[in-house]
């Protein structure tokens, strides 16, 4: 493979090899998750996370298996009445289906190039679930929406930011639970998820006190107080997360780079004769995953030629499987690589 624009697992951060060797040399992978060495690693990772991603000081970081697991944890540990899911794509819908098997849910589906109508909020729910960056169709929920969102009293806002956390800035003051897997914007090997909770989420989780599963929130929190995890975690990914983030610029600068690279892609698509962005509303266009609409012939051509050149693009996903492809624009992907892709697509 020469160039990788697949939206997860995605191009690894350029320093992964170096940090993997360091992890081996320091023998951190051989210390158990109740050791002082692990306690220090967890604490350091949380600090680096907050510092680099501009997360409020009183939020807490938990390590889980994946973003998919967060869907379950939120339904089981943070929801008593039910959850309201606002979705316009495959991941938001999967989250809703996952929760629906466990608890009562309400669904508010909205169209492409639209935002959910938040006035209809019900009081029967105690959590609102939003997919910040819908990886299947390249749409994003813009920050002003979070600021305007009216929530029933004491309802939490949970956000799946799997393909945006680490690549763009998030409105932390309007988010109670945020989660992501590490194989997207962090450029890490897959196999771990992170969940960040506001003080309100922590106290709600503790008051519900559900403790039936291996990663029930009370267990996560009880263990975090000792800088431990409930099960033996992916220590390599935790080590790499801390190292990669520590090595990266602060999120403000990363977000500016993400925006710049995304603008190159969208400007190119706007001027192209047979390609167009799937999302046409500028404000709703994702900067980290760009979904491109193409007719069947162009799409076949692109798939064939990029395959020959060993350029990996994301296939269309779900409903958009046959008329789109996707381009990841994560921090590990450089501006030069985006320009190379644009030049290549321009020749087709
Ligand atoms: C990739 C992705 C997931 C699933 O991640 P896993 O690591 O497979 O659990 C969930 N939500 C969104 C928005 C994603 O992009």
């Amino acid at each position: 493979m020469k160039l990788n624009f697949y939206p997860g697992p995605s191009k690894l951060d350029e320093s992964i090899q170096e940090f993997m060797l360091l992890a081996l040399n320091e023998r951190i992978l051989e210390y158990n998750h109740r050791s002082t060495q692990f306690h220090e690693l967890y604490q350091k990772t949380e600090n680096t996370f907050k510092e680099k991603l501009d997360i409020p000081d009183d939020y807490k970081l938990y390590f889980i298996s994946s973003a998919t697991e967060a869907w379950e944890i939120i339904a089981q540990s943070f929801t008593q009445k039910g959850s309201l899911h606002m979705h316009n794509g495959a991941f938001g819908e999967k989250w809703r289906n996952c929760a629906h098997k466990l608890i009562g849910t309400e669904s508010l589906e909205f169209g492409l190039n639209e935002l959910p109508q938040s006035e209809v909020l019900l009081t029967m729910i105690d959590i609102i679930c939003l997919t910040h960056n819908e990886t299947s169709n390249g749409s994003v929920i813009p920050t002003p929406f979070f600021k305007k969102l009216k929530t029933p009293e004491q309802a939490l806002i949970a956000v799946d930011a799997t393909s945006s956390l680490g690549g763009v800035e998030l409105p932390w003051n309007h988010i109670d639970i945020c989660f992501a897997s590490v194989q997207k914007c962090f450029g890490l090997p897959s196999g771990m998820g992170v969940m960040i909770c506001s003080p309100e989420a922590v106290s709600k989780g503790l008051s519900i006190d559900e403790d039936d599963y291996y990663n029930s929130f009370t267990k996560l929190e009880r263990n975090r107080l000792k800088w431990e995890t409930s099960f033996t975690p992916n220590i390599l990914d935790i080590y790499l997360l801390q190292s990669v983030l520590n090595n990266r610029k602060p999120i403000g600068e990363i977000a500016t780079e993400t925006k710049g690279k995304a603008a190159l892609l969208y400007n190119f698509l706007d001027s192209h004769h047979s390609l167009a962005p799937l999302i046409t509303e500028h404000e709703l266009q994702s900067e980290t995953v760009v979904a491109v609409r193409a007719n069947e012939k162009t799409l076949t051509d692109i798939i064939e030629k990029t395959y020959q050149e060993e350029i990996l693009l994301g296939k269309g996903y779900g409903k958009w499987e046959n008329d789109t492809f996707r381009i990841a624009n994560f921090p590990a992907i450089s501006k030069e690589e985006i320009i190379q892709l644009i030049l290549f697509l321009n020749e087709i």
Side-chain angles (χ1 to χ4, degrees):
M1 192 199 322
K2 291 185 191 138
L3 291 171
N4 183 4
F5 301 96
Y6 202 85
S10 49
K11 187 184 176 217
L12 293 177
D13 190 279
E14 62 182 7
S15 55
I16 289 292
Q17 188 179 19
E18 177 194 336
F19 292 136
M20 274 192 176
L21 276 178
L22 271 176
L24 292 173
N25 291 338
E26 289 175 20
R27 305 193 72 164
I28 181 72
L29 309 179
E30 297 166 57
Y31 286 104
N32 77 76
H33 58 300
R34 315 263 173 239
S35 66
T36 315
Q37 286 78 3
F38 183 79
H39 296 163
E40 282 169 8
L41 175 62
Y42 190 154
Q43 190 169 5
K44 202 160 128 191
T45 309
E46 186 180 284
N47 289 341
T48 308
F49 214 84
K50 287 184 190 168
E51 186 195 314
K52 292 288 179 161
L53 299 185
D54 228 357
I55 299 173
D57 220 29
D58 50 2
Y59 281 45
K60 294 177 175 182
L61 173 70
Y62 305 91
F63 301 112
I64 57 176
S65 309
S66 62
T68 302
E69 194 196 9
W71 296 343
E72 278 190 11
I73 296 174
I74 289 166
Q76 287 161 339
S77 295
F78 290 100
T79 315
Q80 283 172 308
K81 293 185 250 177
S83 51
L84 171 68
H85 297 257
M86 300 180 177
H87 53 93
N88 75 345
F91 286 98
E93 193 181 334
K94 282 194 207 182
W95 183 1
R96 195 264 170 157
N97 293 341
C98 167
H100 198 68
K101 292 184 182 156
L102 302 166
I103 48 159
T105 62
E106 292 284 336
S107 186
L108 201 156
E109 198 168 349
F110 56 101
L112 284 187
N113 295 303
E114 284 173 19
L115 276 172
Q117 297 299 314
S118 63
E119 293 86 60
V120 294
L121 290 191
L122 313 162
T123 48
M124 280 99 73
I125 55 107
D126 48 13
I127 190 150
I128 296 171
C129 301
L130 285 161
T131 304
H132 176 252
N133 199 77
E134 180 48 81
T135 319
S136 66
N137 60 28
S139 66
V140 73
I141 308 264
T143 294
F145 178 83
F146 285 91
K147 297 189 173 156
K148 277 190 288 190
L149 185 63
K150 284 194 212 70
T151 55
E153 190 125 356
Q154 292 182 329
L156 298 176
I157 300 191
V159 173
D160 181 345
T162 301
S163 54
S164 50
L165 181 65
V168 299
E169 289 184 278
L170 287 170
W172 290 106
N173 293 331
H174 304 275
I175 297 176
D176 293 297
I177 304 171
C178 179
F179 60 88
S181 292
V182 295
Q183 73 273 18
K184 299 191 184 177
C185 285
F186 295 109
L188 300 180
S190 61
M192 186 173 78
V194 289
M195 187 168 82
I196 300 120
C197 293
S198 71
E200 290 75 22
V202 172
S203 68
K204 179 148 188 201
L206 289 178
S207 76
I208 294 177
D209 199 26
E210 178 279 310
D211 198 18
D212 294 344
Y213 305 96
Y214 82 110
N215 264 342
S216 289
F217 180 71
T218 41
K219 278 202 197 73
L220 290 174
E221 170 60 10
R222 216 164 42 233
N223 279 285
R224 182 201 161 277
L225 288 175
K226 299 179 281 184
W227 300 112
E228 292 180 8
T229 51
S230 40
F231 67 105
T232 317
N234 187 335
I235 300 178
L236 176 60
D237 250 334
I238 298 175
Y239 180 88
L240 294 175
L241 179 63
Q242 136 68 25
S243 309
V244 163
L245 272 183
N246 191 43
N247 202 31
R248 277 192 184 172
K249 295 170 193 158
I251 191 65
E253 288 173 49
I254 298 250
T256 305
E257 291 177 2
T258 304
K259 193 185 268 304
K261 291 184 295 164
L264 292 176
L265 284 167
Y266 283 114
N267 287 339
F268 164 69
L269 294 174
D270 285 342
S271 63
H272 197 274
H273 57 92
S274 59
L275 300 175
L278 177 62
I279 306 299
T280 49
E281 275 304 311
H282 178 68
E283 191 202 23
L284 307 179
Q285 289 173 333
S286 163
E287 290 173 352
T288 49
V289 180
V290 177
V292 186
R293 196 198 280 277
N295 62 39
E296 214 178 303
K297 186 186 166 301
T298 313
L299 195 60
T300 318
D301 242 27
I302 288 175
I303 290 169
E304 204 179 287
K305 293 197 172 130
T306 47
Y307 182 80
Q308 282 164 7
E309 284 302 310
E310 294 182 48
I311 298 174
L312 190 60
L313 294 172
K315 289 198 229 58
Y317 198 101
K319 240 193 280 188
W320 301 280
E321 195 179 331
N322 296 319
D323 59 357
T324 64
F325 65 91
R326 294 169 305 148
I327 304 168
N329 177 32
F330 298 151
I333 297 164
S334 68
K335 185 173 166 187
E336 289 65 38
E337 290 173 316
I338 296 285
I339 293 170
Q340 277 185 55
L341 176 65
I342 289 174
L343 293 175
F344 184 80
L345 291 175
N346 203 31
E347 293 296 306
I348 294 181

